[in-house]
Amino acid sequence: MELTLDLAKKWLQLFAKDIQSQQGFLNELDTAIGDGDHGTNMVRGMQQVQVLLQQDTASDLSALLKQAAFALISKVGGASGPLYGTALLDMSKYAQEHDSQLEALIQAGASGIARRGQAQVGDKTMLDIWQPVAHDLSQGQFNRQNLQQHLAATKDMEAHKGRASYLAERSIGHIDPGAQSSEILFNNLLQVIGE
Ligand SMILES: Nc1ncnc2c1ncn2[C@@H]1O[C@H](COP(=O)(O)OP(=O)(O)O)[C@@H](O)[C@H]1O
Ligand SMILES: [Mg+2]
């Protein structure tokens, strides 16, 4: 399916709202295996995205994704900002150079995170949501149940990237905060595409 400008606006709006309401929960997850600021970081970035949505100056999908990317890169502060930002920027580039096909866009985003974070699937990061979701989309199996499983799987992983990696095996048993915020993001996508 195609990710239209209108759907993307609704998607980012929902994400901004949920990030706000889940701020404390995301901070708690990050307190267990990081420095406790993932919710606060994401709220800072998504508030700027809400300002952009209100100004409503993006003429097409690629422009909107680019605006959101720069908002996250400049406002978030933590490691997650440049990572989400790179995902959105690579999605913007893909939309500009190719098309707006959802599955290809999410794969472009996942590849951007892997490149920017030097991360692999299984490292216990947000990539452990993005890459499986890209795969699910390509198989026509993008749904809540699978999404939930990808998130739960991060609990048993040992972190190899980011602050959580300092804990080595003590990171096992906790859900990764960036994977949790990405799960929220893709739940919001399911909401806007009506599934
Ligand atoms: N190298 C990386 N590659 C992919 N994702 C990463 C990487 N480093 C950190 N992350 C993600 O960022 C999240 C932490 O974000 P945040 O708390 O906002 O930043 P910080 O770690 O700087 O405090 C992690 O839970 C993880 O999902
Ligand atoms: Mg943190």
Side-chain angles (χ1 to χ4, degrees):
M1 71 170 289
E2 198 194 342
L3 182 65
T4 61
L5 174 61
D6 189 50
L7 280 175
K9 283 185 197 169
K10 288 183 180 139
W11 182 19
L12 290 172
Q13 190 62 55
L14 279 180
F15 187 51
K17 221 176 100 237
D18 280 357
I19 283 295
Q20 181 83 52
S21 65
Q22 301 300 315
Q23 177 177 8
F25 174 51
L26 293 170
N27 281 341
E28 263 173 49
L29 292 177
D30 196 33
T31 298
I33 57 171
D35 57 354
D37 63 358
H38 185 56
T40 308
N41 286 340
M42 291 301 293
V43 165
R44 220 182 297 118
M46 289 313 292
Q47 272 172 347
Q48 181 61 24
V49 171
Q50 275 180 308
V51 170
L52 292 168
L53 287 168
Q54 227 149 30
Q55 292 171 343
D56 198 20
T57 58
S59 54
D60 60 20
L61 177 72
S62 178
L64 178 73
L65 293 170
K66 193 172 177 178
Q67 284 184 350
F70 284 129
L72 291 171
I73 291 168
S74 63
K75 296 283 179 187
V76 167
S80 55
L83 291 161
Y84 270 108
T86 301
L88 291 171
L89 205 52
D90 284 10
M91 289 167 68
S92 166
K93 277 186 209 147
Y94 187 91
Q96 174 129 55
E97 291 166 9
H98 304 278
D99 52 56
S100 308
Q101 208 229 333
L102 184 60
E103 127 194 14
L105 284 170
I106 303 304
Q107 183 55 64
S111 301
I113 291 170
R115 189 186 72 249
R116 174 81 202 213
Q118 295 290 299
Q120 292 180 358
V121 168
D123 281 348
K124 195 183 183 93
T125 70
M126 59 176 74
L127 184 65
D128 290 303
I129 296 295
W130 279 78
Q131 187 53 60
V133 163
H135 181 259
D136 286 348
L137 278 163
S138 74
Q139 303 294 305
Q141 289 179 353
F142 176 44
N143 57 50
R144 278 195 176 69
Q145 201 187 348
N146 284 341
L147 184 53
Q148 200 50 48
Q149 274 178 16
H150 303 319
L151 178 66
T154 69
K155 201 168 173 173
D156 300 329
M157 294 175 189
E158 179 178 326
H160 297 302
K161 292 288 169 196
R163 287 179 197 278
S165 67
Y166 307 155
L167 296 178
E169 71 274 12
R170 279 181 293 131
S171 65
I172 297 170
H174 303 276
I175 284 178
D176 176 65
Q180 177 65 70
S181 60
S182 298
E183 188 264 351
I184 294 170
L185 177 72
F186 288 113
N187 248 309
N188 294 147
L189 179 59
L190 281 164
Q191 280 173 269
V192 297
I193 65 177
E195 282 179 34

